[in-house]
Amino acid sequence: GHTANKPCLAKFELLTSKWQMTSRKPPCVNSLPEGKLKILQDGLYLIYGQVAPSTAYKGVAPFAVQLRKNEAMLQTLTSNSTIYDVGGTYEFHAGDIIDLIFDDEHQVLKNNTYWGIVLLANLFIS
Amino acid sequence: GHTANKPCLAKFELLTSKWQMTSRKPPCVNSLPEGKLKILQDGLYLIYGQVAPSTAYKGVAPFAVQLRKNEAMLQTLTSNSTIYDVGGTYEFHAGDIIDLIFDDEHQVLKNNTYWGIVLLANLFIS
Amino acid sequence: GHTANKPCLAKFELLTSKWQMTSRKPPCVNSLPEGKLKILQDGLYLIYGQVAPSTAYKGVAPFAVQLRKNEAMLQTLTSNSTIYDVGGTYEFHAGDIIDLIFDDEHQVLKNNTYWGIVLLANLFIS
């Protein structure tokens, strides 16, 4: 199990057409069945990851990647020429739902696409 | 009080027209009366935050947000279509003064605008 | 020496025309003779730094800065009007070679250009 000294880190990969948590279950977040992440602990979190666009994609959907909190956009990527870094540093609160969505799952190279989260600090707001 | 194991984290909010530290006083930084932050300890710091432009703003000042160190620009944001993430990772030294400034305080939505800082690591330069 | 509680942090500066590690030797990375960095420990790393373009540069090389992993681009900067922040959060694995390269060393102001790396978290992938 986890001890207090281990970082609280989670990683998601596209093993199927849905995000799956491929790291061990950490204490500060939960994985939801639909491939979303639920925050369990108020804190300052860093999100990281990369999205590799598929040049073989022939569909009509525009390329669009959105990192969201409670279905509101935190970050969006719209062009498709290279590998994208996603993420940033955000305050999240217990109950927030975080997800990373695409217009079409075939737009990305699954084995080169992932995202993760790490708890940087608990919030001690007076 | 703080113990060695607690992160050194500070958060600023626009409760009035001036930034105020809304977190407990941390050991690595100080809040100055004019809404600036003073670094007390050499280290690698991560700054985070968001600025929400006000669509109700009718003034003539161009939208401009600057994160500064010792009055020199660290980061600038100039367009006003969405919520902005501010911040980055910087080395700061004891005595550095950090602030986040606007052209006009009415350009931002106070209750959705904040910034903060967290000490990632002390610097051990030989 | 380092203890378990010290962060694993390295910093590189351009003391000559080559990057040199100016921090103490940390446990998680190595400096290679040619100015590159070798990862010794799987983990989530944050890279930070800045590149100051030289306005005195009269050469013909286009301004281009690349942060690379195993000679593949992680991040590129191509315009030259201001100081650039480099870096981001990346998963690295033992054996990865990281470097930051320029087209021409005279394009940058050496005393205002540096980069560094800090280990945020070990990876606990099941």
Coordinates of all heavy atoms in Angstrom, one line a residue, chain C residues 40-77:
Chain C
L40 N 18.8 8.7 -14.7 CA 19.2 7.5 -14.0 C 18.1 6.8 -13.3 O 18.2 5.6 -12.9 CB 20.3 7.8 -12.9 CG 21.6 8.4 -13.4 CD1 22.5 8.7 -12.3 CD2 22.3 7.5 -14.4
Q41 N 16.9 7.4 -13.2 CA 15.8 6.9 -12.4 C 14.5 7.2 -13.1 O 14.3 8.4 -13.5 CB 15.9 7.6 -11.1 CG 15.1 7.0 -9.9 CD 15.4 7.8 -8.6 OE1 16.5 8.3 -8.4 NE2 14.4 8.1 -7.9
D42 N 13.6 6.2 -13.3 CA 12.3 6.5 -13.9 C 11.6 7.5 -13.0 O 11.6 7.4 -11.8 CB 11.5 5.2 -13.9 CG 12.0 4.2 -14.8 OD1 13.0 4.4 -15.5 OD2 11.3 3.1 -14.9
G43 N 10.9 8.4 -13.6 CA 10.2 9.4 -12.8 C 9.5 10.5 -13.6 O 9.6 10.5 -14.8
L44 N 8.7 11.3 -12.9 CA 8.1 12.4 -13.5 C 9.0 13.6 -13.2 O 9.2 13.9 -12.0 CB 6.7 12.6 -12.9 CG 5.8 13.7 -13.5 CD1 5.5 13.5 -14.9 CD2 4.6 13.9 -12.6
Y45 N 9.5 14.2 -14.2 CA 10.5 15.3 -14.1 C 9.9 16.6 -14.6 O 9.2 16.6 -15.6 CB 11.7 15.0 -14.9 CG 12.6 13.9 -14.3 CD1 12.3 12.6 -14.6 CD2 13.6 14.2 -13.5 CE1 13.1 11.5 -14.1 CE2 14.4 13.1 -13.0 CZ 14.1 11.8 -13.3 OH 14.9 10.8 -12.8
L46 N 10.2 17.7 -14.0 CA 9.9 19.0 -14.4 C 11.2 19.7 -14.9 O 12.1 19.7 -14.2 CB 9.2 19.8 -13.3 CG 8.7 21.2 -13.7 CD1 7.4 21.5 -12.9 CD2 9.7 22.3 -13.5
I47 N 11.1 20.2 -16.2 CA 12.2 20.9 -16.8 C 11.9 22.4 -16.8 O 10.7 22.7 -17.1 CB 12.6 20.4 -18.2 CG1 13.2 19.0 -18.1 CG2 13.5 21.4 -18.9 CD1 13.6 18.4 -19.4
Y48 N 12.8 23.2 -16.4 CA 12.6 24.7 -16.4 C 13.8 25.3 -17.0 O 14.9 24.7 -17.1 CB 12.3 25.2 -15.0 CG 13.6 25.1 -14.1 CD1 14.4 26.2 -13.9 CD2 14.0 23.9 -13.5 CE1 15.5 26.2 -13.1 CE2 15.1 23.9 -12.7 CZ 15.9 25.0 -12.5 OH 17.0 24.9 -11.8
G49 N 13.7 26.6 -17.4 CA 14.8 27.3 -17.8 C 14.4 28.5 -18.7 O 13.3 28.8 -18.9
Q50 N 15.4 29.2 -19.1 CA 15.2 30.4 -20.0 C 16.3 30.5 -20.9 O 17.5 30.2 -20.7 CB 15.0 31.7 -19.2 CG 16.2 32.2 -18.5 CD 15.9 33.5 -17.8 OE1 14.8 33.8 -17.3 NE2 16.9 34.4 -17.7
V51 N 16.0 31.0 -22.1 CA 16.9 31.3 -23.2 C 16.8 32.8 -23.6 O 15.7 33.2 -23.9 CB 16.6 30.4 -24.4 CG1 17.5 30.8 -25.6 CG2 16.8 28.9 -24.0
A52 N 17.9 33.5 -23.5 CA 17.9 34.9 -23.8 C 18.5 35.1 -25.1 O 19.7 35.0 -25.3 CB 18.6 35.7 -22.7
P53 N 17.8 35.4 -26.2 CA 18.4 35.6 -27.5 C 19.3 36.9 -27.5 O 19.0 37.9 -26.8 CB 17.2 35.9 -28.4 CG 16.0 35.5 -27.6 CD 16.3 35.6 -26.2
S54 N 20.4 36.8 -28.2 CA 21.3 37.9 -28.4 C 20.9 38.7 -29.5 O 20.9 38.3 -30.7 CB 22.7 37.3 -28.6 OG 23.6 38.4 -28.9
T55 N 20.7 40.0 -29.3 CA 20.3 40.9 -30.4 C 21.6 41.3 -31.2 O 21.4 41.9 -32.3 CB 19.7 42.2 -29.8 OG1 20.6 42.8 -28.8 CG2 18.3 41.9 -29.2
A56 N 22.7 41.0 -30.7 CA 24.0 41.3 -31.4 C 24.3 40.2 -32.4 O 25.3 40.4 -33.2 CB 25.1 41.4 -30.4
Y57 N 23.6 39.1 -32.5 CA 23.9 38.0 -33.4 C 23.7 38.5 -34.8 O 22.6 38.9 -35.2 CB 23.0 36.8 -33.1 CG 23.2 35.7 -34.0 CD1 24.4 35.0 -34.1 CD2 22.2 35.3 -34.9 CE1 24.5 33.9 -35.0 CE2 22.3 34.3 -35.8 CZ 23.5 33.6 -35.8 OH 23.6 32.6 -36.7
K58 N 24.7 38.3 -35.7 CA 24.7 38.8 -37.1 C 24.8 37.6 -38.0 O 24.9 37.8 -39.2 CB 25.8 39.8 -37.4 CG 25.8 41.0 -36.5 CD 24.6 41.9 -36.8 CE 24.6 43.1 -35.9 NZ 23.3 43.6 -35.5
G59 N 24.8 36.4 -37.5 CA 24.9 35.2 -38.4 C 23.7 34.9 -39.2 O 22.6 35.6 -39.0
V60 N 23.8 33.9 -40.0 CA 22.7 33.5 -40.9 C 21.8 32.4 -40.4 O 20.7 32.2 -40.9 CB 23.2 33.1 -42.3 CG1 23.9 34.3 -42.9 CG2 24.1 31.9 -42.2
A61 N 22.2 31.7 -39.3 CA 21.4 30.6 -38.8 C 20.1 31.1 -38.3 O 20.0 32.1 -37.6 CB 22.1 29.9 -37.7
P62 N 19.0 30.4 -38.7 CA 17.7 30.8 -38.1 C 17.7 30.5 -36.6 O 18.4 29.6 -36.1 CB 16.7 29.9 -38.8 CG 17.5 28.7 -39.2 CD 18.9 29.2 -39.5
F63 N 17.0 31.4 -35.8 CA 16.9 31.1 -34.4 C 16.1 29.9 -34.1 O 14.9 29.8 -34.5 CB 16.3 32.4 -33.7 CG 16.3 32.2 -32.2 CD1 17.5 32.6 -31.4 CD2 15.2 31.8 -31.5 CE1 17.5 32.4 -30.1 CE2 15.2 31.7 -30.1 CZ 16.3 32.0 -29.4
A64 N 16.7 28.9 -33.4 CA 15.9 27.7 -33.1 C 16.5 27.1 -31.9 O 17.7 26.9 -31.8 CB 16.0 26.7 -34.3
V65 N 15.6 26.9 -30.9 CA 16.0 26.2 -29.7 C 15.2 24.9 -29.6 O 14.0 24.9 -29.8 CB 15.7 27.1 -28.5 CG1 16.1 26.4 -27.2 CG2 16.5 28.4 -28.6
Q66 N 15.8 23.8 -29.3 CA 15.1 22.6 -29.2 C 15.5 21.9 -27.9 O 16.6 21.6 -27.6 CB 15.4 21.6 -30.3 CG 14.9 22.0 -31.6 CD 14.7 20.8 -32.6 OE1 15.4 19.8 -32.4 NE2 13.8 20.9 -33.6
L67 N 14.4 21.5 -27.1 CA 14.6 20.6 -26.0 C 14.3 19.2 -26.5 O 13.3 19.0 -27.2 CB 13.6 21.0 -24.9 CG 13.6 20.1 -23.6 CD1 14.9 20.3 -22.9 CD2 12.4 20.5 -22.7
R68 N 15.2 18.3 -26.3 CA 15.1 17.0 -26.9 C 15.2 15.8 -25.9 O 15.9 15.9 -24.9 CB 16.2 16.8 -28.0 CG 16.3 17.9 -29.0 CD 17.2 17.6 -30.1 NE 18.5 17.2 -29.7 CZ 19.5 16.8 -30.5 NH1 19.2 16.6 -31.8 NH2 20.7 16.4 -30.0
K69 N 14.6 14.7 -26.2 CA 14.8 13.4 -25.5 C 15.3 12.4 -26.5 O 14.5 12.2 -27.5 CB 13.5 13.0 -24.8 CG 13.7 11.6 -24.1 CD 12.4 11.2 -23.4 CE 11.5 10.4 -24.4 NZ 10.4 9.8 -23.7
N70 N 16.4 11.8 -26.3 CA 17.0 10.8 -27.2 C 16.9 11.4 -28.7 O 16.6 10.7 -29.6 CB 16.2 9.5 -27.1 CG 16.2 9.0 -25.7 OD1 17.2 9.2 -24.9 ND2 15.1 8.3 -25.3
E71 N 17.3 12.6 -28.8 CA 17.4 13.3 -30.1 C 16.1 13.6 -30.8 O 16.0 14.0 -31.9 CB 18.4 12.7 -31.0 CG 19.8 12.6 -30.4 CD 20.9 12.3 -31.3 OE1 20.7 11.9 -32.5 OE2 22.1 12.3 -30.9
A72 N 15.0 13.3 -30.1 CA 13.6 13.6 -30.6 C 13.2 14.9 -29.9 O 13.4 15.1 -28.7 CB 12.7 12.5 -30.4
M73 N 12.5 15.8 -30.7 CA 12.1 17.0 -30.1 C 11.0 16.9 -29.0 O 10.0 16.2 -29.2 CB 11.5 17.9 -31.2 CG 11.2 19.3 -30.8 SD 10.4 20.2 -32.2 CE 8.7 19.4 -32.1
L74 N 11.2 17.5 -27.9 CA 10.2 17.7 -26.9 C 9.5 19.0 -27.0 O 8.3 19.2 -26.8 CB 10.8 17.5 -25.4 CG 11.2 16.2 -25.0 CD1 11.9 16.3 -23.6 CD2 10.0 15.2 -24.9
Q75 N 10.3 20.0 -27.3 CA 9.8 21.4 -27.4 C 10.7 22.2 -28.3 O 11.9 22.0 -28.3 CB 9.8 22.0 -26.0 CG 9.1 23.4 -25.9 CD 9.2 23.9 -24.5 OE1 10.2 24.0 -23.8 NE2 8.0 24.3 -23.9
T76 N 10.1 23.1 -29.1 CA 10.9 24.0 -29.9 C 10.5 25.4 -29.8 O 9.3 25.7 -29.6 CB 10.9 23.5 -31.4 OG1 11.9 24.2 -32.1 CG2 9.5 23.7 -32.0
L77 N 11.4 26.3 -29.9 CA 11.2 27.8 -29.9 C 11.8 28.4 -31.1 O 13.0 28.1 -31.4 CB 11.8 28.4 -28.6 CG 11.4 27.8 -27.3 CD1 12.3 28.4 -26.2 CD2 10.0 28.1 -27.0

